Structure formats: C-alpha cells, structure tokens
Amino acid sequence: MSILSIATSGLSAASLRVSVAASNIANVSTTGPLPASGASGTSAGGGIAPTFPAAYVPLRVDQVSQSSGSTPGGTAATVSAVSPSYTAQSDPSAPFANQDGLVAAPNVDLASEFAELAVAKYSFIANAKVIQAYAETTESLLDIKT
C-alpha cells in the first residue's frame, strides 16, 4: 500500500470520528420512552395513544489497523452503537415518561466526545503532514538536475 493511501485512510478515519462525535453531542438531549415501558404514551379518553420516537442511539468509532504482517496498510474505521445505548433519566414532564417519571436518555459522555474531537483533530493534522511531506519529497526528487 502506498504512503498516500495509508495517510488517506487515516484522514477518512479522523473525518468519521468527527462526524460521530458531532452527532453524539448534537443529540445528547434527544430522549424517548424507556424500552421497557413501550413506545406509546397514554392518552385521555381511550383514543389511539400517540407514538413517540425512541431515544437517540449514540455511536462510537472502532478503528483497526489494516496491516498484514510487516506490510503497512493504513487503518479502517467502522461505526457501531454504544452499549448500553441509554440511561434512565427523570423527566416527569415528558409526555412519554413512564409511571415513575423516567425517560430514556442517550448514554453520551460529553467529556469523552470532546476528547474524541481532539483525537480526530490531531490525527487529521498528522496525516495531512504525511501527505504534505510526501508531496514535497516527490517534488524535490523531480527537481533533481544532472
């Protein structure tokens, strides 16, 4: 695998980390009914109960090396759901709260998400520097005069 493809795979992984962390941060307050309590609220008058969307399911990035033996191969990143995906939170005013006033809140740790953003930033910078150094080296090799 070439230097450029290795650095590009690192850039892609860093970009994915930023996207996932941003999504988790943006949806940290997106609550829903507890799964055990069902997805429906109660309505007065015996009519059809309204259906509420589930709480946001936070995501995480799993990154692994694509190296095989002594051959470097870059990195691959995949997205998966955080487990457990929610925590019970008190919000008796929510229309979908259970009889105890609990709702499902995404299991997002804001400090960890901001740390992920910092890791992604420095990973992106490092891989961009590799591409820059490769370009400069290639340019200087092409400028060699005999």
Side-chain angles (χ1 to χ4, degrees):
M1 201 171 217
S2 75
I3 292 171
L4 283 178
S5 61
I6 293 170
T8 303
S9 72
L11 290 173
S12 295
S15 177
L16 187 60
R17 281 184 182 280
V18 169
S19 295
V20 167
S23 177
N24 286 345
I25 291 168
N27 290 294
V28 72
S29 297
T30 308
T31 59
L34 285 169
S37 67
S40 300
T42 59
S43 65
I48 298 174
T51 302
F52 298 101
Y56 171 75
V57 176
L59 305 172
R60 72 169 194 236
V61 175
D62 299 312
Q63 193 170 339
V64 294
S65 172
Q66 289 184 330
S67 299
S68 58
S70 63
T71 306
T75 187
T78 58
V79 177
S80 59
V82 170
S83 182
S85 64
Y86 71 91
T87 59
Q89 178 178 317
S90 178
D91 187 3
S93 64
F96 46 81
N98 68 5
Q99 64 274 12
D100 297 324
L102 299 175
V103 297
N107 187 13
V108 174
D109 178 19
L110 284 176
S112 296
E113 296 304 325
F114 282 103
E116 282 293 322
L117 287 174
V119 167
K121 173 186 174 181
Y122 290 113
S123 175
F124 199 90
I125 290 170
N127 284 292
K129 289 286 186 184
V130 168
I131 292 172
Q132 181 181 16
Y134 178 78
E136 290 170 0
T137 303
T138 303
E139 182 181 337
S140 67
L141 285 173
L142 294 175
D143 287 341
I144 294 177
K145 297 180 182 176
T146 53

